[in-house]
Amino acid sequence: MKTRPPARADRFDSALGFTAQRGPVARLIQIVLYVVLVAVFAGPLVALMVGAFSPVADPSRLTLWPETLTLDNFTAAFDRGVLRYLANSFIVVGLGLLLQILVSVSAAYALARHRFPGMRLVLLLILSTMMLPEEILAIPLSLVLADVPIVHVNLIGTLAGMIIPVAAWAFSILVMTEFMKEIPLELEEAARIDGAGDLRILWTIVLPLCRPALGVVGIFGFTMIWDQYMLPLLVAQDAGQFTLPLALRTLRTDEQAGLGVLLAASLLALLPSVIAFLALQRQFMKGLTAGAVKG
């Protein structure tokens, strides 16, 4: 039986998927490639941060190194109500994400642990909602929010009209369902022998094991709700109900505000998503790699 010859010590597999020779030339190419990648991906972010803290006189000349630092852009943005828009965004994303997680966990536990007639149809309907773009749903959604069935309440012009529609998201439900299916049934059977009910099993056994999936759902759900533009555009009737993404459009058309104010508001809109990812990145990475290794 022939054995494979050992790998040469002077070769290595790069993270980009190709094999290269060790040596000064290969190291130089690798450094240049990494610098180009960092410039492409980090360059716009650096330009955004520099422009937010610098006076921008010419919109066509954004630099990566500030000549002078100032907070005038943020002061002007605050004078135009950005803090109010930011507070509206936090209210919508906070309550919306809480409802979304509650709905996703409840629906996923029912789909993963219980069998009932029409379950495949329910999964198909949930999955089909991901195939429809927001533009198609805009008019029906606005009609429903103007007169909510059964209760006949008008949610147009309220923050509740931006919160309730995001309470159920097919992506979160499917992620939680697939993750809960991997939890051994023996754990729940042992808890039922001890007299635990479904709610206690879900709270004390299933949810602690689903923390990686909750991290994935939390990050994607936060980003989805925070970046909502179409929904606030349909619901908001005056500037006091704007969220920050919707207010950016107003600042963009405000010739007196200037590009610096727009960049400052854009930086404020970007930071919460970055902070949310940094706070949940450990659970996020565990959720992405869950099930990749069997053992």
Side-chain angles (χ1 to χ4, degrees):
M1 180 178 179
K2 294 183 179 180
T3 59
R4 179 180 297 179
R8 292 175 54 184
D10 59 344
R11 300 179 70 86
F12 69 96
D13 292 329
S14 70
L16 297 179
F18 58 86
T19 303
Q21 294 283 347
R22 288 188 181 274
V25 177
R27 180 62 61 182
L28 178 61
I29 295 176
Q30 187 179 19
I31 293 175
V32 171
L33 184 59
Y34 288 161
V35 169
V36 172
L37 290 176
V38 170
V40 170
F41 289 101
L45 178 60
V46 174
L48 171 63
M49 297 179 62
V50 171
F53 289 97
S54 303
V56 182
D58 187 359
S60 63
R61 296 182 59 187
L62 290 179
T63 63
L64 300 180
W65 188 261
E67 298 179 359
T68 57
L69 295 178
T70 179
L71 296 177
D72 293 342
N73 293 330
F74 290 93
T75 302
F78 296 157
D79 292 339
R80 284 168 170 77
V82 169
L83 286 180
R84 179 177 57 187
Y85 306 143
L86 188 63
N88 290 341
S89 294
F90 277 122
I91 293 174
V92 172
V93 76
L95 296 178
L97 184 59
L98 178 61
L99 289 177
Q100 188 178 111
I101 291 177
L102 290 175
V103 171
S104 301
V105 169
S106 303
Y109 185 71
L111 293 172
R113 287 296 187 253
H114 298 280
R115 297 292 181 266
F116 53 88
M119 187 179 68
R120 292 180 180 272
L121 179 60
V122 172
L123 287 173
L124 180 61
L125 292 176
I126 293 175
L127 183 61
S128 64
T129 61
M130 300 178 63
M131 310 301 175
L132 300 176
E134 293 182 349
E135 293 77 9
I136 294 180
L137 298 176
I139 295 179
L141 182 59
S142 62
L143 295 177
V144 171
L145 292 177
D147 186 14
V148 180
I150 300 176
V151 295
H152 298 290
V153 176
N154 183 11
L155 297 181
I156 299 295
T158 65
L159 293 181
M162 309 179 195
I163 296 172
I164 294 178
V166 300
W169 190 27
F171 175 82
S172 300
I173 295 175
L174 294 177
V175 169
M176 294 301 303
T177 300
E178 295 302 319
F179 199 92
M180 287 184 182
K181 288 181 179 179
E182 300 298 326
I183 299 177
L185 288 172
E186 291 77 6
L187 297 177
E188 297 185 25
E189 293 173 355
R192 293 187 189 279
I193 293 176
D194 293 336
D198 286 338
L199 185 60
R200 184 177 178 183
I201 291 174
L202 175 63
W203 182 257
T204 61
I205 296 178
V206 177
L207 281 184
L209 296 176
C210 290
R211 280 165 45 177
L214 289 174
V216 175
V217 169
I219 289 179
F220 280 99
F222 184 96
T223 305
M224 185 273 289
I225 300 173
W226 184 265
D227 294 338
Q228 278 289 327
Y229 177 79
M230 182 66 69
L231 183 58
L233 185 63
L234 294 174
V235 175
Q237 291 186 325
D238 56 71
Q241 301 162 357
F242 284 1
T243 57
L244 194 52
L246 189 59
L248 291 177
R249 182 202 61 175
T250 304
L251 291 176
R252 185 178 180 181
T253 58
D254 189 353
E255 296 181 357
Q256 297 179 351
L259 181 61
V261 177
L262 179 61
L263 293 177
S266 299
L267 182 60
L268 292 176
L270 175 66
L271 286 179
S273 298
V274 175
I275 294 174
F277 176 77
L278 294 178
L280 299 173
Q281 63 173 334
R282 181 175 299 179
Q283 301 301 330
F284 178 74
M285 296 306 298
K286 289 182 179 179
L288 291 181
T289 58
V293 179
K294 299 292 184 178

